[in-house]
Amino acid sequence: MKRIILPFAILFMMGACNNTDKKQDKNSGHTNSGNEPATLADSLMKEIDDGHIAGMSKIGKLHNTKKQVQAVIDSIGKLPAKAQQSAAPYIAKLQALVKDLEYADFGMDKWMTEFEMDSAINNMEQRIKYLADEKMKVGKMKEAILNGLQKADSLLRAKF
């Protein structure tokens, strides 16, 4: 009996693992293999997810860069008073950069805690409006992260 059931169980599990999760577009009847969003809401969710992934992929670098900028500020603080005074404009830029990096990090955390993936799932008009707003927030958050890192790269290479 085990000899008969085992091959069927294996075939069943292989079939379940090979499920391509195809969706059918309600308007055209075309099958969607998961590569293309089927609806505007799906498209917005994909764009939100892409923005989130792009931002999150840089968070570790953002944290390290913030530490690096703070270390430069601390190092300048150990210099003689005259050298500190001559570096004051550079220190001000670095301190503003730390605030920018903290804001970008805060923005990511805030967005992730407030985002509701299933918001208005039963009301497509409200859902699309919500997702469009969230797409804009994710875009701003991603830009804050990327711009902060770019600004840090420029400032850390600069000589004061």
Side-chain angles (χ1 to χ4, degrees), residues 1-11:
M1 184 74 169
K2 286 184 181 179
R3 287 184 183 181
I4 295 172
I5 294 175
L6 186 60
F8 284 115
I10 291 171
L11 285 174

Side-chain angles (χ1 to χ4, degrees), residues 118-130:
D118 296 332
S119 177
I121 202 155
N122 295 323
N123 184 330
M124 197 50 66
E125 186 177 323
Q126 284 181 347
R127 180 161 178 76
I128 288 171
K129 182 182 178 338
Y130 175 77

Side-chain angles (χ1 to χ4, degrees), residues 53-157:
I53 290 169
M56 279 304 292
S57 70
K58 300 293 183 187
I59 284 294
K61 185 175 182 178
L62 183 133
H63 291 160
N64 290 336
T65 301
K66 184 179 149 206
K67 288 177 187 175
Q68 197 176 14
V69 171
Q70 192 59 54
V72 171
I73 293 169
D74 294 344
S75 295
I76 293 171
K78 294 176 183 176
L79 295 174
K82 191 166 188 152
Q84 286 184 37
Q85 190 175 17
S86 67
Y90 183 62
I91 292 172
K93 288 178 183 178
L94 291 173
Q95 289 170 333
L97 175 60
V98 168
K99 287 182 181 178
D100 289 348
L101 295 173
E102 286 173 345
Y103 176 77
D105 190 27
F106 170 79
M108 173 62 87
D109 287 343
K110 184 176 185 336
W111 178 82
M112 287 188 331
T113 58
E114 292 178 353
F115 179 67
E116 295 182 31
M117 187 176 295
D118 296 332
S119 177
I121 202 155
N122 295 323
N123 184 330
M124 197 50 66
E125 186 177 323
Q126 284 181 347
R127 180 161 178 76
I128 288 171
K129 182 182 178 338
Y130 175 77
L131 293 175
D133 290 345
E134 293 303 302
K135 178 186 163 199
M136 191 177 353
K137 289 178 189 176
V138 165
K140 288 179 182 179
M141 173 198 61
K142 181 181 89 170
E143 287 304 310
I145 292 168
L146 297 177
N147 289 340
L149 290 172
Q150 184 179 22
K151 189 175 175 183
D153 188 47
S154 297
L155 273 176
L156 291 173
R157 292 178 189 218

Side-chain angles (χ1 to χ4, degrees), residues 19-39 42:
N19 183 358
T20 58
D21 193 28
K22 294 183 180 181
K23 295 179 184 175
Q24 191 168 25
D25 187 338
K26 293 176 185 174
N27 297 329
S28 67
H30 292 98
T31 301
N32 184 350
S33 63
N35 294 336
E36 300 174 23
T39 65
D42 292 342

